[in-house]
């Protein structure tokens, strides 16, 4: 669908809202009926992207309280659109004249002006990180349904700047215990030190988010253009700061060989087909193979920094700017839940589409009705 | 669109066909009327993916002659669907019983069986590299139209295994002069040596393809889910062997900082806004910024290799197989034109969608009619 | 798009909300940037479908005040999604146990239960007439933009039960002066008498709505499946009570002949091509021909009536019910603006899609950027 | 999807080809795997629209032999795209200069020129009746799958000009026994006489096609915009000559009342919910209710007639033309199978989409895998 704010085929998500407007929200159309759902289910996910929860996130007070406006009746989804909204506490005030006058480097100010002729210059408008609230609210629903199907989706920080996690220390629960969302307490400390350093230098850092999806049945994803890997890639690359996506061994395959990269199949003790390795990241020919799906996203450094930067204003001048306000020195930790939610939406959509892959299942299904 | 063989919004591509069936083809719907087009325009692109053109590609004789069946009248596109077909010379013969009995590692045999209950086991069916013929035929049209608009799309091999090009030696035309499609004659020789070695070891190699798009006007791509970068990512990740996609500095941003990664704007001598650097790869907030779009794709090693591999057969046994036939030791060189074509399709689609971004243009447009 | 609450390609509308939930609303994605828009523009249209404005509409007090939550900045559309909401004044109260226990004839109670396993039984949920609020809010935007392009969309009541308008008396403005939305004062009086009679008999009436679209440039609509007539048909038939759609002479063509039905072309005094008659209703081969587009919709009688009706309850019994509450004796007058709005959305979408029909226009367009 | 030659969500049809080009065809993407299918299954349907089978259809010799090019392996659909082609016997010859110079009344010549700047003037190009070959080929597959699910789709001529069938004489099989496709032998004779008269007067006739769909489970169709009735309407109105669509009592509801039009529910002897009448035509709130779906389409008279007609040429002159060649005096009989096929495609697509309506079914479905 050409209009840019919708995603998904059968589980269809449409987000709306600007950073400093009245609110941000999402409509989820095509959610199967009968899922238990309440606002708390959503709020738990939104709280994970909330600023002000650590020294590396903006101390602005934003409550981000979600309201479900439709599609749930007597505690269950009805099959009709679920509309959710988070009203903004911080709406437009009157000191944007400066920011309106120039283009911030690394931001979408210039490209929005090119495309639309003007832009909502308050707080980044639609290209703000607050746009992801709708994604997270929708993803919380998808994740809840996946969980009931025995499918888990877990993202975490893999690295920040030069500091990466060590898999020997891996403890998924740990990601909720530190400010950088790392599943490795030791690495988290080092990353925190590195970020302190960045802040002192009025600078910011990039990083890598990794996401693990377990329990996915084999067979999800459509051949050719609707490969599960391609749709995961689009989902993740549609998040503002993402500049790279890789699945399984990813860019590592470029220096690998067939003998190493091919995953050997074998029958396990239960007579189930398994793979000895998982270089493929759980997807073969674009279709899930039943093993863990593992992908990574490269997140760019926060473009808003306090240090002086060169840019242009709309009066035709080359200028130097210092962007005021409080800025997170890193996007990664708050983007973790966004990655997780986009992955959940994508997998659920593939799950729904796959139901009609075989005539056999069609017949069984309608026999029952 | 859920069915997997379609791509694009306004410039809509639908591919069909199996490796060893009657043929492969594509229907291009929504191509603007009035483009000069003949079969030779398409054939030139198809020839670039043709096997048998070097010692690293399969010596099977496949002519891959394209026929345009509709949508062109008196040498011009009519605006109605352009159907193109390449009839297969090598159709199914009768010796597939062995390959039908087991699952080739690294191939989609197993996942197709999981999804559909059975599969076309002759030559890989729909997951074969021949599926890309339809993409290339459609992309050739997109590329021709883009060229007329002053937009160029050029892909080339950036690395094969450990051998990468050196930008000081960069000569785009050189990519047509060597068997590995590298724009660097020296690197091409080293890569060829490396591939000879792989072949001796009955092994295969991965690599990286890079693609440069020049002349793209600022403003292409839609906010949020239809970002130009997200759609390029999906386009490229939907190609069979691609395991990673990155734009601009890509995974490099993870270790970069805001000060380095932000591209400073400035006014050039003509009063045009330019960027001093292009870490963003030509896209800001998902929308083209007018500078070169540069992305890379990681291509896995050919999964079909002569060396013995462990796998399972359908009788419940763990077995060892040697996959017969001639196999390319590397996918990269033949995939270069596929990457180029998918990029062209994506950019053209964004170009068409962008025409209705502003009321102002809408009025100008219909005033003229 | 499979999920049922979205409509349109480039101008994409997604509605949400139930009759007795928190509210109803719509997200409009893909509206071109730069259109002046305020809540009053929308409210004017919503007021036309408001109940309680005549003796033939429900006297329930519903203010239906629209709020624009996003997509408009400094009085202009930004090109990003426009989210609009009408919060319900009448939310769920507690006396629905009876209505929950049986299936109302002529309503969607039974089919929703079949599809989803249960339903929101308060006020009809998603199949309520209040669902059309989102359509009208979106249509108001489309109509405003069309007006600026010189295109008018006007619907009106053509008949109620046996009482039809007489074209000699036709006065479009008159439709706002009477309770039945007829552009003929005399017919309106007769229709009112007929409705009084229906109400006395605890009965209801059907009718026909006609819609005239003027100023549409030739060339809108795509060949084959996206014919302008087919999309208008879908748009109108998607309105709850519509059971028939016809364009131009409609069902009249079945008894016509080629000699009569063909519209002769001629050059007018300005050298413009015109048609002597308009049996085609402004569309030839699915594409607008520049003349008035004229279509009609058949609206069924209000299914909720006070008279006793036979039906079944969920306990397996055949029962007789009298549906309580105040019911409009006719749907037609309130549906007029809904028809108008769905037509406006469809025409605007076709207008946007048509911009990329020719290479020639593509070149002119991007030359200017 | 904006590009006009595609239809359907999960069962996705893309047609291509012009009347006098190399051929016409269709790609069916998303057909469930495992359906037995051979060319004869398709040919039977194509033969029903074949010209030259009666005195009222064009005696041109067109074999219309279908070839399946992909998507079927060992006699079964594989789940991947099914490409089908009918190569034209009558390709372009050289005597079109006259027809190229003017606009035929009632045809799409003028509107195609307006939209695209020029047109394929040989045989009507894409607006020719031959475009429906792709629809029929795709519909034959849908109908076969529906038949296996116990769903039948049957269309027939209801009236030609003033001659309508009498339901007391109704015999569905009879439609294959007469030249006008009427399920009433007596009416068929009268219609034939009427058509003879039309031919003598160099004139043509319109008519009505009716379609009955039986065995559809309750629950198909999505709320709001994807109502089954709305999609059937779009499907049918997208056929070239259709000017009206109505379902159930259709335009009759306009003069009906609630008491008459509401269908009472009751429990039958098996405890199944049934309706005493079927004014609704099998669809309530846009969703199938389990009873017969019945709709009608108004077909315009053949626009190509031998009688002199006024029109314009491209040199700016008002002229009179006699359109040469052999023309059918009525479109209806050959359109019957097209209506049937479009209905089958629409119902099958709704059947597939409906599988994911409930969480309950999702769980049962994936439990089995």
């Amino acid at each position: 669908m050409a209009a840019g704010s919708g995603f998904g085929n059968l589980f269809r998500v449409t987000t709306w809202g600007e950073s400093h407007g009245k609110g941000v929200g999402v409509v989820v159309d095509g959610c199967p009926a009968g899922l238990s759902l309440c606002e708390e289910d959503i709020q738990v996910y939104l709280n994970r992207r909330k600023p002000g929860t650590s020294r590396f996130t903006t101390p602005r007070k934003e409550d981000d309280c979600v309201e479900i406006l439709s599609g749930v009746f007597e505690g269950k989804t009805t099959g009709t659109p679920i509309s959710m909204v988070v009203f903004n506490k911080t709406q437009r005030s009157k000191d944007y004249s400066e920011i309106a006058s120039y283009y911030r480097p690394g931001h979408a100010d210039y490209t929005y002006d090119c495309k639309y002729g003007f832009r909502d210059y308050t707080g980044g408008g639609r290209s703000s990180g607050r746009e992801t609230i709708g994604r997270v609210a929708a993803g919380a629903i998808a994740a809840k349904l996946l969980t009931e199907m025995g499918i888990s989706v877990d993202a975490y920080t893999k690295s920040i700047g030069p500091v990466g996690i060590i898999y020997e220390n891996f403890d998924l629960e740990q990601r909720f215990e530190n400010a950088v969302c790392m599943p490795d307490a030791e690495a988290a400390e080092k990353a925190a030190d590195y970020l302190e350093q960045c802040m002192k230098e009025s600078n910011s850092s990039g990083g890598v988010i990794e996401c693990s999806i377990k329990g996915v049945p084999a067979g999800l994803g459509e051949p050719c253009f609707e490969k599960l890997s391609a749709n995961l890639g689009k989902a993740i690359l549609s998040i503002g700061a993402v500049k790279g996506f890789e699945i399984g061994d990813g860019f590592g395959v470029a220096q690998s060989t067939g003998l190493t990269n091919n995953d050997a199949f074998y029958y396990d003790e239960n007579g189930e087909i398994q793979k000895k390795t998982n270089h493929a990241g759980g997807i073969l020919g674009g279709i899930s193979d039943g093993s863990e799906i593992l992908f990574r996203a490269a997140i760019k450094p926060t473009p808003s920094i306090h240090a002086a930067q060169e840019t242009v204003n709309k009066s035709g001048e080359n200028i130097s700017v210092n962007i005021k306000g409080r800025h997170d020195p890193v996007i990664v930790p708050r983007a973790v839940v966004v990655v997780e939610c986009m992955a959940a939406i994508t997998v659920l959509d593939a799950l729904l589409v796959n139901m009609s892959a075989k005539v056999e299942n069609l017949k069984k299904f309608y026999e029952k009705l």
Side-chain angles (χ1 to χ4, degrees), chain A:
Chain A
M1 200 53 53
S5 295
F7 185 82
N9 291 293
L10 294 179
F11 187 84
R12 178 80 185 165
V13 169
T14 305
T15 69
W16 57 267
E18 290 88 29
S19 172
H20 286 40
K22 288 197 176 174
V24 291
V26 65
V27 180
V28 177
D29 197 15
C31 180
L35 177 71
S36 294
L37 192 74
C38 65
E39 282 155 357
E40 185 57 22
D41 292 324
I42 314 297
Q43 195 62 51
V44 169
Y45 276 77
L46 285 178
N47 290 348
R48 289 173 56 195
R49 69 165 294 293
K50 208 154 77 171
T53 55
S54 86
R55 61 206 152 139
F56 305 126
T57 56
T58 48
R60 271 176 292 146
K61 197 68 206 131
E62 303 173 57
D63 279 318
D64 289 353
C65 271
V66 73
E67 260 187 83
I68 298 177
L69 299 181
S70 71
V72 176
F73 183 65
E74 298 185 338
K76 297 205 166 177
T77 59
T78 59
T80 59
I82 303 167
S83 176
M84 295 180 284
V85 63
V86 168
F87 286 102
N88 288 339
K89 294 281 153 76
T90 320
Q91 282 193 38
R92 286 159 193 141
S93 42
K94 273 145 206 160
D95 52 352
Y96 295 100
S97 55
E98 198 197 328
I99 212 163
S101 72
Y102 64 79
Y103 295 125
R104 291 171 298 164
H107 278 277
D109 301 346
Y110 174 63
T111 52
Y112 270 63
D113 264 17
C114 288
K115 185 175 191 74
Y116 296 119
F118 77 119
R119 74 182 190 277
D120 176 351
Y121 46 75
T122 60
R126 189 74 181 136
S127 69
S128 154
R130 281 188 72 73
E131 176 265 334
T132 61
I133 285 178
R135 299 174 183 237
V136 171
I141 297 176
K144 185 162 197 211
L145 183 41
L146 289 179
T147 302
E148 295 199 1
M149 309 284 295
I151 300 170
S152 65
V153 184
D154 291 295
Y156 46 84
T157 301
K158 180 177 158 60
S159 68
I160 285 180
V163 186
I165 59 169
I166 293 170
Y167 285 88
E168 286 164 13
N169 299 339
F170 194 93
D171 173 11
L172 187 59
E173 286 313 304
Q174 180 63 34
R175 70 182 158 150
F176 297 128
E177 305 299 321
N178 60 68
V180 291
C181 217
M182 276 181 166
D184 170 348
E186 220 174 293
E189 292 231 10
K190 284 184 201 158
D193 291 346
Y194 176 72
L195 289 175
E196 294 281 2
Q197 192 58 37
C198 287
M199 288 171 87
K200 273 184 206 148
E201 294 164 5
S202 301
N203 207 346
S204 61
S205 174
V208 171
I209 294 172
E210 190 163 77
C211 185
S212 157
I213 314 175
K214 289 178 179 160
V216 176
L220 303 200
E222 306 300 306
C224 304
F225 301 111
E226 295 290 316
K227 287 185 166 80
L228 184 52
S229 37
N231 278 332
L232 282 170
K234 174 168 179 170
I236 301 309
L237 287 157
S238 76
I239 302 170
V242 177
K243 303 301 284 185
F245 171 88
E246 59 176 16
I247 194 152
D249 283 5
F251 276 86
V253 300
Q255 302 211 27
S256 186
T257 70
L259 270 172
T260 304
N261 189 60
N262 284 350
D263 301 312
F265 292 108
Y266 71 99
Y267 284 103
D268 68 12
E269 58 275 21
N270 304 315
E272 304 287 331
I273 293 176
Q274 305 285 358
K275 289 168 16 188
K276 293 199 174 170
T277 50
N278 190 16
H279 298 289
I283 294 180
L284 282 169
I287 299 174
S288 63
D289 65 16
S291 54
E292 180 189 20
I293 295 173
L294 196 74
F295 69 80
R296 282 168 299 283
I299 312 287
K300 74 176 186 180
T302 320
S304 291
I305 49 177
H306 288 125
Q309 294 186 83
E310 293 172 65
T311 190
V312 296
N313 65 17
K314 297 176 99 175
S315 321
E317 296 165 316
N318 294 317
I319 59 170
S320 172
V321 297
N322 290 68
I323 299 169
K324 290 162 198 162
R326 301 295 303 250
H327 313 302
D328 294 357
V330 67
I331 292 166
V332 173
R334 290 180 65 189
V336 164
V337 69
V338 183
V339 165
E340 199 171 299
C341 283
M342 288 307 299
I345 290 168
T346 307
V347 170
L348 178 57
D349 196 42
L351 205 79
L352 301 184
V353 170
N354 183 53
M355 290 177 76
S356 56
K358 283 190 267 191
V359 170
E360 182 192 335
N361 289 317
L362 202 58
K363 287 184 183 172
K364 269 188 208 150
F365 181 85
Y366 280 102
E367 212 172 343
K368 289 194 171 183
L369 287 188

